[in-house]
Amino acid sequence: VLWSSTNMTTKPSTTSRVKVGRRGVLHWGETLNNVFMITSGSAGGNERLALAQRVQERPDDPGVWAAVLEHASTERSGTSAAALCKLYRRATQCIPKDRPEVKESEAYINIWLGFARELVAAEKHMDAAATFQF
């Protein structure tokens, strides 16, 4: 139980079941498996899990995000473009945009280009065009 039934002002326990990343990689109730579309028993499941764990350790690293996004894009196995768009959006939200070295990173540029590509695949053309305004 996360909340005390006698004192509703008690804050949630720091040992709650869901670990939230420093910059919000995982939101309340999410797991690495559902955010990163990891299917147990799939050919690339273990590799994607390892990549997802690296993202959780370094959520502001564009290189780590680029690796997991590339894996998710190449090992689709029934993953929809809309699901990939959510993962790309999470990456763009977790990587800080105020550091000059990030904007100059090839991995960061590839994340935005991949995001636009997946938005087009999901038939969200206006959103895809808007990605280039970063």
Side-chain angles (χ1 to χ4, degrees):
V1 176
L2 296 177
W3 295 93
S4 167
S5 60
T6 57
N7 183 0
M8 295 306 285
T9 61
T10 304
K11 293 185 178 182
S13 166
T14 57
T15 59
S16 62
R17 287 171 275 188
V18 177
K19 183 177 179 183
V20 178
R22 289 175 288 191
R23 292 189 58 86
V25 173
L26 293 182
H27 298 167
W28 182 257
E30 294 180 335
T31 65
L32 284 177
N33 289 353
N34 65 18
V35 171
F36 291 93
M37 301 166 291
I38 300 168
T39 308
S40 60
S42 68
N46 290 337
E47 184 179 353
R48 188 163 324 158
L49 177 59
L51 290 168
Q53 289 169 336
R54 285 181 49 207
V55 166
Q56 194 171 25
E57 292 167 7
R58 302 204 50 206
D60 60 344
D61 185 344
V64 176
W65 273 106
V68 77
L69 290 165
E70 182 178 336
H71 187 274
S73 296
T74 58
E75 300 287 328
R76 291 182 93 102
S77 64
T79 303
S80 69
L84 278 173
C85 285
K86 287 181 182 180
L87 189 57
Y88 273 99
R89 184 174 308 281
R90 185 72 55 100
T92 61
Q93 291 170 343
C94 287
I95 300 169
K97 295 156 190 60
D98 58 350
R99 295 187 344 225
E101 70 273 10
V102 168
K103 285 194 175 185
E104 295 172 5
S105 163
E106 185 177 336
Y108 186 68
I109 300 300
N110 286 334
I111 289 169
W112 280 100
L113 292 173
F115 187 24
R117 182 182 56 245
E118 292 303 328
L119 285 167
V120 169
E123 298 185 9
K124 296 182 178 184
H125 301 285
M126 297 299 288
D127 290 340
T131 61
F132 294 108
Q133 295 177 359
F134 79 93

